[in-house]
Amino acid sequence: KGAMRLLHVSDTHGTFPDLPAQDGLVVHTGDLLPNKTRGVLAVERHYQTSWLRRKLSRFKRWLAGRPFVYVAGNHDFIAPTEMLAASGVVAFDATHRCVEVGGLVFYGFPCVPFISGEWSHELDGAGLAERTRELAALLVERPVDVLLLHAPPAGILDGLGGHFGSEPMATLLARPDIRLPRAILCGHVHEAAGLTVLQGTSTLVSQAATTVHSLMLPPCPSPSAPSSPASEVSSLGSRPPGSDPSSGR
């Protein structure tokens, strides 16, 4: 598998942050859409569908012809990729499924630790553990190049004053039988965006909540060659005006 540029964005909440003039894939790890209420399902679905319909032309200009890969976040109450694809965007929804784009296999996991019961994809401890076990079974069986999470694993770019990541996900990534992805992309915790490498591995972790990271994923190493993290990583853009890290994360 050859090198691939990923323009990683997350938690844009209805904004269109500036993207670098680079080829590659635009990868969004959730909270793409704006909200009108605190999770009133019927209101949110209508509001987000209407918003996306009005913004299709703006969305296409923002992507500038680049493919779009997406996993849902807790503020997203509709799946936008069908409408985007109907408008001519090359769009892939990786939510709870594997998609192959540009020779890379992506899998998207939208689930987040319980917040208040108002938001999409939030689960209590038992529910989150069960969904994470399902993901673990998949990662044992087949390789995934890029794992898309909305919430980061616990203890990894998941908070400054507190921690809001997923404990089951952190446990999963420490299992010796798991085929670790080459990169983990996530968001959710607005104040903790950053870049790191999963401890003791070569797996890149990009947490791009309210910002943009430009990542060059190097060619997949041969089995005999030592692997290395992304050879080129840069942080671009800025937090959208009015972003509020305390509002349902």
Side-chain angles (χ1 to χ4, degrees):
K1 296 176 180 179
M4 174 64 70
R5 170 80 60 187
L6 306 180
L7 303 179
H8 176 209
V9 298
S10 194
D11 297 76
T12 50
H13 295 279
T15 67
F16 296 92
D18 291 340
L19 298 176
Q22 296 171 322
D23 292 333
L25 306 178
V26 176
V27 183
H28 199 296
T29 50
D31 288 359
L32 169 71
L33 301 162
N35 298 103
K36 188 173 185 179
T37 68
R38 290 191 64 88
V40 179
L41 186 60
V43 174
E44 288 301 315
R45 285 178 172 169
H46 179 267
Y47 176 72
Q48 292 186 347
T49 299
S50 298
W51 178 88
L52 185 58
R53 188 175 292 115
R54 293 195 311 271
K55 297 293 184 178
L56 281 173
S57 295
R58 177 72 180 90
F59 214 114
K60 293 171 74 173
R61 293 196 304 273
W62 182 62
L63 292 174
R66 291 169 289 212
F68 181 69
V69 183
Y70 162 84
V71 64
N74 58 293
H75 283 266
D76 298 329
F77 289 87
I78 65 167
T81 50
E82 184 174 342
M83 194 184 302
L84 290 172
S87 75
V89 173
V90 179
F92 302 87
D93 187 350
T95 304
H96 288 309
R97 63 172 66 96
C98 286
V99 298
E100 185 169 347
V101 188
L104 297 177
V105 176
F106 296 80
Y107 185 90
F109 188 81
C111 304
V112 304
F114 187 83
I115 303 166
S116 61
E118 298 169 302
W119 303 107
S120 187
H121 302 293
E122 56 172 314
L123 297 173
D124 63 15
L128 187 60
E130 176 59 29
R131 274 298 201 174
T132 306
R133 282 193 293 270
E134 295 170 4
L135 172 60
L138 181 142
L139 293 177
V140 168
E141 294 297 324
R142 67 168 298 174
V144 169
D145 294 299
V146 184
L147 180 60
L148 307 180
L149 311 175
H150 184 54
I156 303 173
L157 301 172
D158 72 332
L160 298 178
H163 294 282
F164 303 95
S166 168
E167 292 283 356
M169 187 61 65
T171 300
L172 178 157
L173 294 172
R175 282 176 45 172
D177 59 334
I178 292 297
R179 299 185 186 192
L180 286 174
R182 297 165 63 193
I184 298 169
L185 277 52
C186 56
H188 188 51
V189 186
H190 293 193
E191 68 270 26
L195 297 154
T196 189
V197 175
L198 196 63
Q199 186 173 6
T201 78
S202 61
T203 296
L204 171 72
V205 182
S206 169
Q207 207 278 54
T210 72
T211 191
V212 181
H213 291 162
S214 178
L215 317 170
M216 179 62 82
L217 207 61
C220 189
S222 67
S224 60
S227 60
S228 60
S231 59
E232 181 187 341
V233 177
S234 59
S235 181
L236 306 146
S238 59
R239 303 183 189 281
S243 64
D244 178 9
S246 67
S247 180
R249 301 249 57 89

